[in-house]
Amino acid sequence: MDENSNLYKIRHSMAHVLAQAVQEVYPKVKLGFGPPIETGFYYDFDFSEEEFAENKLKEIEKRMKKIIGRKQEFHYSETDIEGAVAKLEDLGEGEYKIENVRNLHSRGVEKFSFYENGNFADLCEGPHVETTGDLPAKAFKLDRVAGAYWLGSEKNKQLTRIYALCFETPEELQSFLERRRIAEQFDHKKLGKELDIFHFDEKVGKGLALWMPNGTIIRDEIEKYAREMEMKYGYQRVSTPHIASEKLFQTSGHLPYYADSMFPPMELNEGDDAENSEKYYLKAMNCPYHHLIYSARPRSYKELPYRLCEYGTCYRYEKSGELSGLLRVRCMTMNDAHVYLTEDQFEEEFRSMVKMYMEFYETFKFSDYSFRLSVRDDSDKFVGDPAVWDQAEALLAKVMDELGLEYFVGEGEAAFYGPKIDVQFKNLMGREETLSTIQVDFQSACKEKFALKYVDSDNTEKEPIIIHRAPLSTHERFISFIMEYYGGAFPAWCAPVQVCILPVQDSCMEFTNSIANELTRDLYRVEIDDSNNTFNKKIRTNTKRKIPILLIIGEQEVADNTVTVRRYGSRDQITVSRDEFVAIFKAEVKERKML
Ligand code: ATP
Ligand code: ZN
Ligand code: ZN
């Protein structure tokens, strides 16, 4: 946040007003820190002498509004260490502030500034608004309370942190609250639990998801779809081990460049001979293995483009603070592929790859995404000849232009071996996520690395260009994204339960069973709700499970050989003949339609 912006001043000044109001309610409170943050501000308090009651937040908020109404001016003053300590003792704000000025003093700070308004003063560097009257009384809200250790250390006392939301206008506050409400309702961690899709257990470890039966159905369906598309676009499937000798990752250059993102190696000692010991790493990416499949046989230009694909499971030692549900995990299964081709083939292959991406997006009904051309910057993590980089970056830009695809440039976002096109999606809170990627690689085929070759039509050996691509990301990130995007209501083709049949009376059971049998025989996922619940309760429970199609079977349906169809998200019901429903449903699943 820009420290000179009006919003920063507002949040900063508002934090003082919060402390001031808290002091009015709890005169013995001691004050910690109270900085602005991304969505407002917080302040840390030590209430130890007087128990803090969360239901006082409303009263504190009211008092803040009164202080704003009083239009108190903020006055600035400066003093030395003695003056600061004396002033803080005088104010009775407690040992935390005094400890803080002494710490600052020991680090060479000589001047201490205070801002004073009304009968309240706080040690502070500013900047502030002129008077409390400049604060937006209707654009803030005390949000929640949490524990926070003084100076962030568990050895210190735990203080009470009051978080507040604060914006410039009431409209901004309202729109933030609304976005947050939807995001919370559709948060994939919450939905993942409610719909029984995945689970984390500390006994397995951080960032290592367990996929429940429902989640595994979704994975399998997406994987089946990817397989069909890859067959259509000329890819061949391969399978590779989850570990490899360090030699492989040295050859690829992942060691040492990528070592921080890999799990530490295991040392294997065959024959108890230290000299024979060898390090093995968990695979963090599939590429090196695919390159060796390419180089296992001599390749002719006639085989190119040579396309290898694998839903490969990779392990990355992501920082624990960055792990977030399924969005960023340490074990992930990637919709990966590597295409080996000649320079002449690049443009056409890229074009058909983008077409494949669009076909995927169309099926999933994605519309809000943008392309980022991710290029290098001057950091040393990017390996290889700058001229080759320039060539690759220019090639990508040229093809994007020729395809008429709009993109923005992300400096420093390239892979360490080459530039890439990332497809950026916005999540419900407006945060951008990379879902898909296409990367060009002029490095891995070179003689210092995998020495990949093909024999060209003129009988000379040449190096192929490599494209790395992952349109459907990893199952983990992709499914977390669509779970939020669909609010947990998966389309029929990949929903864990596709159809739930609700018989109205016992007399409808025979007809119900016969429809269920007809569909399960053809491997569709069908359930019957034959619980003792009332009919309305059955509708409610199965709607909560977000099952795409409910079939209602009453005596009329039995008599007419019909079914009444109720789709998720719609209150309308239609009654159609049994055969018509079966035909429509089967076509919908086969064509992966989204209604
Ligand atoms: P990021 O920049 O997000 O770390 P990356 O560029 O390292 O990703 P790639 O090696 O290109 O990722 O992996 C292909 C795709 O796998 C990415 O586009 C992303 O969607 C997904 N992915 C990467 N890391 C993770 C992770 N830790 N958890 C889940 N999915 C991931
Ligand atoms: Zn301040
Ligand atoms: Zn790759």
Side-chain angles (χ1 to χ4, degrees):
M1 210 188 321
D2 174 7
E3 296 201 359
N4 289 313
S5 70
N6 192 39
L7 185 57
Y8 185 86
K9 287 184 197 165
I10 287 174
R11 288 174 174 171
H12 209 302
S13 311
M14 199 68 105
H16 288 227
V17 175
L18 168 61
Q20 187 178 359
V22 168
Q23 261 188 357
E24 287 180 13
V25 185
Y26 296 95
K28 292 190 190 135
V29 72
K30 293 176 198 148
L31 307 184
F33 289 123
I37 50 172
E38 209 43 54
T39 52
F41 58 91
Y42 69 75
Y43 214 113
D44 289 343
F45 301 99
D46 181 355
F47 289 103
S48 52
E49 290 187 35
E50 306 151 288
E51 188 94 19
F52 173 68
E54 229 171 286
N55 59 17
K56 290 276 185 191
L57 285 183
K58 276 276 154 273
E59 183 185 338
I60 295 168
E61 215 174 85
K62 254 195 218 142
R63 284 176 186 264
M64 289 174 72
K65 290 189 173 151
K66 282 207 181 113
I67 296 168
I68 293 171
R70 283 184 215 130
K71 301 193 166 72
Q72 296 169 346
E73 275 178 38
F74 283 100
H75 291 291
Y76 177 83
S77 64
E78 270 176 23
T79 166
D80 58 8
I81 175 75
E82 284 79 25
V85 172
K87 189 165 173 87
L88 288 167
E89 276 171 352
D90 206 33
L91 286 166
E93 287 176 1
E95 68 248 33
Y96 302 103
K97 296 265 170 188
I98 295 177
E99 182 181 333
N100 180 37
V101 291
R102 293 221 160 97
N103 278 341
L104 289 170
H105 185 65
S106 71
R107 276 186 260 132
V109 177
E110 295 294 346
K111 244 186 353 195
F112 298 89
S113 58
F114 284 81
Y115 274 88
E116 216 160 331
N117 63 297
N119 56 359
F120 180 80
D122 201 354
L123 179 76
C124 171
E125 284 190 300
H128 276 251
V129 295
E130 309 253 304
T131 84
T132 58
D134 298 330
L135 297 172
K138 292 201 174 109
F140 84 95
K141 180 180 175 352
L142 298 187
D143 192 33
R144 64 195 171 92
V145 176
Y149 294 104
W150 169 240
L151 301 179
S153 162
E154 280 176 42
K155 293 193 201 100
N156 293 335
K157 183 154 188 199
Q158 198 176 43
L159 309 179
T160 305
R161 176 169 296 178
I162 300 181
Y163 281 98
L165 300 171
C166 178
F167 297 88
E168 278 180 279
T169 63
E171 293 72 34
E172 283 167 302
L173 174 66
Q174 287 316 318
S175 105
F176 174 84
L177 287 171
E178 178 59 13
R179 260 187 299 143
R180 188 172 72 175
R181 195 185 61 77
I182 293 172
E184 277 170 1
Q185 192 187 344
F186 288 174
D187 176 59
H188 81 272
K189 298 190 246 1
K190 177 168 172 278
L191 287 173
K193 211 175 275 161
E194 286 168 7
L195 304 175
D196 217 12
I197 289 175
F198 65 94
H199 175 64
F200 284 100
D201 191 311
E202 58 169 3
K203 288 192 203 71
V204 184
K206 282 188 191 137
L208 302 169
L210 298 171
W211 287 85
M212 309 297 279
N214 282 345
T216 305
I217 290 171
I218 300 167
R219 281 172 64 119
D220 286 349
E221 286 296 344
I222 290 175
E223 207 159 319
K224 192 166 134 212
Y225 177 36
R227 272 207 307 268
E228 287 172 21
M229 285 278 272
E230 282 158 355
M231 268 184 89
K232 183 167 129 186
Y233 280 85
Y235 289 76
Q236 308 184 69
R237 277 167 50 80
V238 294
S239 305
T240 62
H242 288 214
I243 62 172
S245 154
E246 63 181 328
K247 287 181 223 148
L248 181 64
F249 300 111
Q250 275 158 356
T251 306
S252 66
H254 286 102
L255 293 176
Y257 288 101
Y258 198 77
D260 282 354
S261 304
M262 296 173 73
F263 274 85
M266 45 203 129
E267 186 111 23
L268 300 189
N269 218 339
E270 295 203 37
D272 284 339
D273 181 353
E275 280 193 6
N276 287 334
S277 101
E278 202 177 348
K279 285 189 183 134
Y280 274 75
Y281 282 85
L282 276 170
K283 85 157 133 175
M285 60 287 305
N286 306 297
C287 353
Y289 300 80
H290 292 185
H291 301 340
L292 292 183
I293 290 177
Y294 178 93
S295 68
R297 308 265 175 278
R299 303 290 170 189
S300 143
Y301 71 99
K302 290 183 191 153
E303 289 171 79
L304 307 189
Y306 188 66
R307 307 177 186 92
L308 298 178
C309 66
E310 172 176 16
Y311 246 110
T313 301
C314 299
Y315 303 85
R316 294 185 182 175
Y317 194 57
E318 304 277 7
K319 292 192 189 74
S320 63
E322 287 178 6
L323 299 174
S324 163
L326 289 181
L327 190 60
R328 189 170 287 279
V329 288
R330 287 180 170 170
C331 169
M332 65 203 84
T333 301
M334 199 183 289
N335 171 229
D336 212 356
H338 297 91
V339 180
Y340 304 82
L341 35 56
T342 70
E343 207 174 319
D344 291 345
Q345 292 168 334
F346 184 85
E347 201 167 319
E348 197 189 319
E349 184 67 16
F350 189 86
R351 195 183 292 271
S352 104
M353 217 174 250
V354 170
K355 190 164 157 262
M356 180 194 209
Y357 278 43
M358 299 297 191
E359 218 174 306
F360 274 130
Y361 299 165
E362 175 61 35
T363 300
F364 289 100
K365 290 277 178 282
F366 295 154
S367 52
D368 190 10
Y369 53 84
S370 56
F371 293 99
R372 177 177 75 191
L373 172 59
S374 300
V375 298
R376 72 195 193 282
D377 58 15
D378 44 23
S379 108
D380 56 10
K381 72 174 183 192
F382 302 108
V383 295
D385 182 353
V388 174
W389 271 90
D390 287 341
Q391 182 193 354
E393 289 173 5
L395 185 59
L396 272 185
K398 175 174 154 252
V399 179
M400 289 297 280
D401 288 338
E402 276 167 10
L403 289 176
L405 294 174
E406 273 182 43
Y407 60 89
F408 63 100
V409 175
E411 289 204 11
E413 301 285 354
F416 75 86
Y417 48 72
K420 49 181 182 163
I421 301 290
D422 289 317
V423 195
Q424 303 295 105
F425 286 74
K426 281 215 176 86
N427 78 358
L428 289 173
M429 283 304 282
R431 205 183 53 240
E432 264 194 8
E433 236 108 71
T434 304
L435 271 196
S436 320
T437 161
I438 300 180
Q439 316 182 350
V440 218
D441 179 358
F442 283 93
Q443 318 271 0
S444 304
C446 72
K447 64 177 189 306
E448 295 78 19
K449 295 210 167 145
F450 287 95
L452 306 185
K453 295 267 180 292
Y454 65 92
V455 178
D456 207 353
S457 51
D458 60 4
N459 249 332
T460 58
E461 281 196 328
K462 295 198 174 130
E463 262 174 33
I465 300 177
I466 304 167
I467 306 179
H468 306 238
R469 54 107 263 197
L472 299 184
S473 177
T474 53
H475 278 320
E476 286 72 14
R477 185 170 296 181
F478 192 76
I479 293 173
S480 71
F481 182 82
I482 58 174
M483 217 185 315
E484 296 188 356
Y485 190 69
Y486 301 146
F490 288 93
W493 68 270
C494 65
V497 176
Q498 298 172 308
V499 177
C500 183
I501 315 184
L502 315 185
V504 180
Q505 291 111 335
D506 283 348
S507 57
C508 309
M509 273 322 282
E510 199 186 321
F511 188 63
T512 297
N513 283 330
S514 127
I515 300 174
N517 289 340
E518 177 181 353
L519 293 175
T520 34
R521 195 188 55 215
D522 289 340
L523 306 181
Y524 294 98
R525 297 179 292 275
V526 181
E527 274 186 13
I528 298 172
D529 185 348
D530 55 3
S531 65
N532 290 328
N533 289 337
T534 62
F535 182 69
N536 281 336
K537 177 110 195 262
K538 284 185 188 180
I539 295 268
R540 276 202 307 276
T541 1
N542 293 300
T543 303
K544 237 176 140 180
R545 294 168 68 202
K546 306 188 192 244
I547 295 171
I549 298 168
L550 303 183
L551 284 190
I552 299 159
I553 308 296
E555 279 178 339
Q556 195 63 49
E557 282 82 1
V558 178
D560 300 346
N561 198 26
T562 55
V563 296
T564 294
V565 185
R566 187 176 165 126
R567 287 185 175 273
Y568 182 81
S570 158
R571 289 182 163 268
D572 299 339
Q573 304 184 162
I574 52 159
T575 304
V576 292
S577 81
R578 166 182 174 161
D579 290 345
E580 191 184 343
F581 166 73
V582 170
I584 291 173
F585 168 68
K586 286 186 174 175
E588 178 178 337
V589 171
K590 185 157 185 275
E591 291 161 32
R592 300 190 170 90
K593 277 196 214 148
M594 258 205 64
L595 298 181

